[in-house]
């Protein structure tokens, strides 16, 4: 219940305050969000399958986001940041759809 309340309060605060990110974060935010969604869907999948571990989730979440951002940073430094950013989003997108499919199968097989 506390988690849902915190989520609602966070969304309301974000809508009312309208925070903006600095321009230098623009290349990194999309891949960070996609990496976070990938980790969250992986956690949901593990929860339905009964293999969820909170420590593993926190490490996976932080490391997925950090690796995705570092890959985009490396691409920016080498001179092809847009291409590497697209590659990261495609790979994480594939993982998101795989997790969503497994989650759907697990939920439908319980009925």
């Amino acid at each position: 219940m506390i988690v849902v309340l915190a989520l609602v309060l966070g969304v309301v605060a974000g809508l009312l305050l309208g925070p903006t990110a600095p321009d230098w974060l623009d290349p990194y935010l999309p891949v960070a969000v996609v990496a976070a969604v990938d980790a969250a869907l992986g956690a949901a999948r593990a929860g339905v399958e009964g293999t969820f571990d909170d420590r593993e989730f926190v490490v996976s979440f932080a490391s997925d986001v950090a690796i995705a951002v570092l890959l985009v940073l490396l691409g920016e430094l080498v001179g092809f940041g847009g291409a590497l950013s697209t590659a990261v989003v495609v790979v994480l997108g594939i993982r998101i759809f795989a997790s969503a499919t497994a989650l759907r199968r697990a939920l439908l097989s319980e009925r």
Side-chain angles (χ1 to χ4, degrees):
M1 182 65 181
I2 293 174
V3 174
V4 173
L5 181 62
L7 179 64
V8 169
L9 287 175
V11 169
V12 169
L15 291 173
L16 292 177
L17 298 175
T20 59
D23 290 339
W24 61 270
L25 280 178
D26 284 348
Y28 310 108
L29 286 178
V31 294
V33 169
V34 172
V37 169
D38 173 48
L41 270 178
R45 175 184 179 179
V48 168
E49 293 173 350
T51 60
F52 179 76
D53 180 19
D54 56 346
R55 286 184 233 168
E56 184 180 336
F57 168 68
V58 170
V59 170
S60 171
F61 188 90
S63 64
D64 283 0
V65 171
I67 291 169
V69 168
L70 288 174
L71 281 172
V72 173
L73 175 63
L74 178 66
E76 292 285 327
L77 294 174
V78 174
F80 53 89
L84 198 51
S85 177
T86 301
V88 168
V89 170
V90 167
V91 168
L92 290 174
I94 291 169
R95 287 176 40 135
I96 287 170
F97 281 108
S99 290
T101 300
L103 186 59
R104 184 178 60 245
R105 283 187 185 144
L107 288 173
L108 292 176
S109 68
E110 290 181 1
R111 293 182 184 201

